[in-house]
Structure formats: C-alpha cells, structure tokens
Amino acid sequence: SSSSSQAFAFAQLDALEAVRCPCGLARRAFADQPGSPSSVHIVEILEDARTHYHREHTEIYIVLQGEGFFELDDARIPVKPLSSVVILPGCRHRAVGQMKIINVVTPPFDPADEWFD
C-alpha cells in the first residue's frame, strides 16, 4: 500500500513571496506544514527593524550576508557572515545593519506571537 502523505516538505526560500515583518522582509517556509517542529525564514534586514519579542517562539538567527549588530536585551553584539544566536522567549531583540539572515523558529512561526513594548 502507498501513503498519500510525504515524510518531507521542500521549499525554495528565494522563490517564496516576501512579507513585511518587524525585521524587514521575510520569506517563510513550513509554518503551515502539519507536524513540522519549526519554520525556516530567509530575512532581509531593513533599516527600520523594530525591537520585539516572542512569548512562545525560540529563534535561531544565522547571518548569511552583510554585517551589523544583534541587539539582544541589553547586549549589542557585532555580527558577520556565519554569526549565529539562539533567542529565547522574552528576549527583546532586533538586527541592525544591512544583512540577510536565516531564521529558524520553534514552534513554527505564528504572527500572533510578535510583541512590542
């Protein structure tokens, strides 16, 4: 017998529609994939990135291109390609500078979990 559901999902991140987010422009994959533990986003950081936090999401940022800073609560950390950080729920954060990042969000991204002070 054959199964009608696949045990994988594929996404071409640069082909997904970009949507505005507090960081800039995000292309999001797997947020609606049943059973996925995480979603994956490629994000173009824009100059107007806003400090925000999540109550449920844990995020992993990985810098692909560019450089700048990660503002994480009271810390300001210089970053460059292949810099990475885990951002736990409750940490106020934003990326500053011209860069492209991968963002892995667990559980999968839900826009209702974006909070601003």
Side-chain angles (χ1 to χ4, degrees):
S1 75
S2 64
S3 171
S4 62
S5 64
Q6 299 180 138
F8 67 90
F10 174 85
Q12 185 65 43
L13 295 175
D14 59 351
L16 299 174
E17 181 181 351
V19 296
R20 278 292 277 166
C21 67
C23 297
L25 293 172
R27 299 172 192 273
R28 301 178 176 137
F30 314 128
D32 298 326
Q33 179 66 33
S36 179
S38 305
S39 58
V40 176
H41 313 184
I42 189 164
V43 183
E44 182 182 347
I45 305 301
L46 298 180
E47 290 179 15
D48 62 353
R50 292 178 62 197
T51 300
H52 63 286
Y53 66 99
H54 309 284
R55 295 179 180 168
E56 303 294 330
H57 294 142
T58 295
E59 296 181 297
I60 299 173
Y61 283 12
I62 305 158
V63 178
L64 295 179
Q65 297 173 355
E67 44 189 59
F69 296 88
F70 290 158
E71 291 182 353
L72 306 158
D73 286 334
D74 296 326
R76 185 174 167 98
I77 300 169
V79 297
K80 61 185 181 180
L82 300 183
S83 296
S84 185
V85 65
V86 173
I87 304 169
L88 299 176
C91 178
R92 271 73 175 164
H93 61 278
R94 75 175 181 146
V96 179
Q98 285 195 310
M99 60 186 114
K100 187 175 288 188
I101 69 164
I102 291 285
N103 181 12
V104 179
V105 183
T106 306
F109 178 75
D110 178 350
D113 192 31
E114 290 182 319
W115 302 92
F116 304 90
D117 289 326

